[in-house]
Amino acid sequence: RVAQPRLTPPRAAPRLAAPPAVSLTALLFVRLLSRDHFITDPAALDFGPKYGDPTFQNPNVAFEPEFNSFGHCIQGFVASFLAYPSVSGTLSRLGKESPLLLAEPRSWFLVLAEFASYFFTFYPTYNFVKRTMKSMDTFATSSYMNNGTEWALGCIAGIALGMFVSSWTKQLLMKQMKERHQTSEGSSSMETYPYGKRDDFPEPPPGLFARVSLGVARLLGILFFLSVFGACAMTGYTWNKCPDGAQDCVNYSPEQVPIGVIVGLLLIPTTICGGTIFYQLRMAKSNAS
């Protein structure tokens, strides 16, 4: 039987990276589709007047023709794309002897790829903190929305391409392993082949620097996780608010703190992240038994 390559992401990634990214995308999607309340234009990725003020000069539109817009998108792409062991494993073997996919990976690059994947989740956290401090009463109509959308769509693109690379890598790996006779005839169990995840290799990560780097990386993942919950709460809290307590913004409503909206938006990350963690625990228990 053909050996099975290990291409699942590191254990922390499905909890600290992917679910918050999907939750953030869902939050922004809900906000963008609130056309009547915020006067948005979903087709143009226009989140409506910034701060709810139609006379405000700077538009709240994602992907304007400027460097920052595409910089946010690239960060989101790198964060999700490098989370795939098929990507980091292949990149860590570039320049090695043939067959490329069966060469020994560069351990330092596997650590670097995991660190970079978490590091580039820092922008949504920074965006949340910055907009909360600058736009406490107008978070729902601030630049968090358009900037976050640029990062989130880049992240979705990275997920899509990462899935394609994983499928291609798995098929090519299995073919190369078969050619190298790395299977045992008549075996009743399927072998596994560590490929691009540092945790799959028996020796510990090389050096104290690598350990500290991975610790910092996972801390960034936790902060990203928490920032998405905070963004949902702040969006709901400022759903009807105008700057400086005014009543002339497009999203004004006498119900200043809509509890139903806050609860509904918080259910987005709670359901997605909670469901993912529950599924992982269930699968771990099933594998253990």
Side-chain angles (χ1 to χ4, degrees):
R1 302 176 65 183
V2 178
Q4 178 71 38
R6 299 179 190 173
L7 296 177
T8 55
R11 285 175 294 178
R15 303 180 189 183
L16 301 180
V22 174
S23 300
L24 175 60
T25 305
L27 166 66
L28 297 169
F29 186 70
V30 170
R31 169 63 176 79
L32 185 62
L33 291 182
S34 303
R35 301 181 63 171
D36 294 337
H37 193 67
F38 293 101
I39 320 298
T40 68
D41 183 359
L45 295 179
D46 184 349
F47 285 84
K50 189 174 289 188
Y51 310 123
D53 183 359
T55 65
F56 199 81
Q57 296 298 316
N58 295 328
N60 201 355
V61 180
F63 289 104
E64 292 188 275
E66 59 183 27
F67 175 79
N68 284 343
S69 291
F70 294 95
H72 301 154
C73 183
I74 291 170
Q75 290 180 63
F77 177 84
V78 173
S80 59
F81 190 57
L82 287 182
Y84 287 90
S86 58
V87 175
S88 59
T90 301
L91 293 176
S92 70
R93 290 167 167 83
L94 290 179
K96 294 270 187 170
E97 68 276 4
S98 181
L100 174 66
L101 301 187
L102 297 181
E104 188 70 19
R106 297 176 178 86
S107 297
W108 63 266
F109 189 90
L110 298 181
V111 174
L112 178 64
E114 184 173 348
F115 176 79
S117 176
Y118 284 110
F119 177 79
F120 284 106
T121 65
F122 178 71
Y123 178 74
T125 305
Y126 160 79
N127 192 27
F128 167 70
V129 173
K130 178 181 178 180
R131 301 306 166 188
T132 299
M133 295 177 64
K134 293 183 65 175
S135 311
M136 176 66 73
D137 291 330
T138 56
F139 185 88
T141 51
S142 71
S143 296
Y144 179 86
M145 302 301 156
N146 66 294
N147 292 341
T149 297
E150 293 159 357
W151 186 93
L153 291 183
C155 184
I156 296 299
I159 291 174
L161 186 57
M163 293 175 67
F164 172 79
V165 173
S166 293
S167 178
W168 174 82
T169 302
K170 181 177 180 180
Q171 296 301 318
L172 192 56
L173 260 174
M174 294 176 72
K175 179 181 178 181
Q176 291 187 1
M177 285 188 288
K178 186 176 182 179
E179 292 173 351
R180 288 273 295 267
H181 306 290
Q182 292 191 354
T183 59
S184 56
E185 294 296 334
S187 174
S188 59
S189 62
M190 185 171 286
E191 298 177 22
T192 57
Y193 174 70
Y195 186 70
K197 183 171 61 177
R198 197 65 192 84
D199 295 344
D200 284 341
F201 292 87
E203 67 273 12
L208 178 63
F209 178 77
R211 295 173 184 269
V212 172
S213 297
L214 293 178
V216 171
R218 287 165 186 173
L219 175 61
L220 292 174
I222 292 172
L223 293 176
F224 175 44
F225 182 94
L226 295 175
S227 76
V228 173
F229 278 86
C232 290
M234 284 298 297
T235 300
Y237 173 71
T238 59
W239 193 262
N240 298 327
K241 286 182 173 289
C242 301
D244 303 320
Q247 300 181 5
D248 56 353
C249 59
V250 298
N251 57 301
Y252 173 75
S253 174
E255 185 185 8
Q256 286 290 286
V257 184
I259 301 300
V261 174
I262 296 175
V263 172
L265 293 179
L266 283 173
L267 281 175
I268 295 174
T270 301
T271 302
I272 295 174
C273 298
T276 302
I277 293 173
F278 175 77
Y279 174 77
Q280 281 194 303
L281 294 175
R282 186 175 179 181
M283 290 299 296
K285 184 177 179 181
S286 176
N287 292 335
S289 61

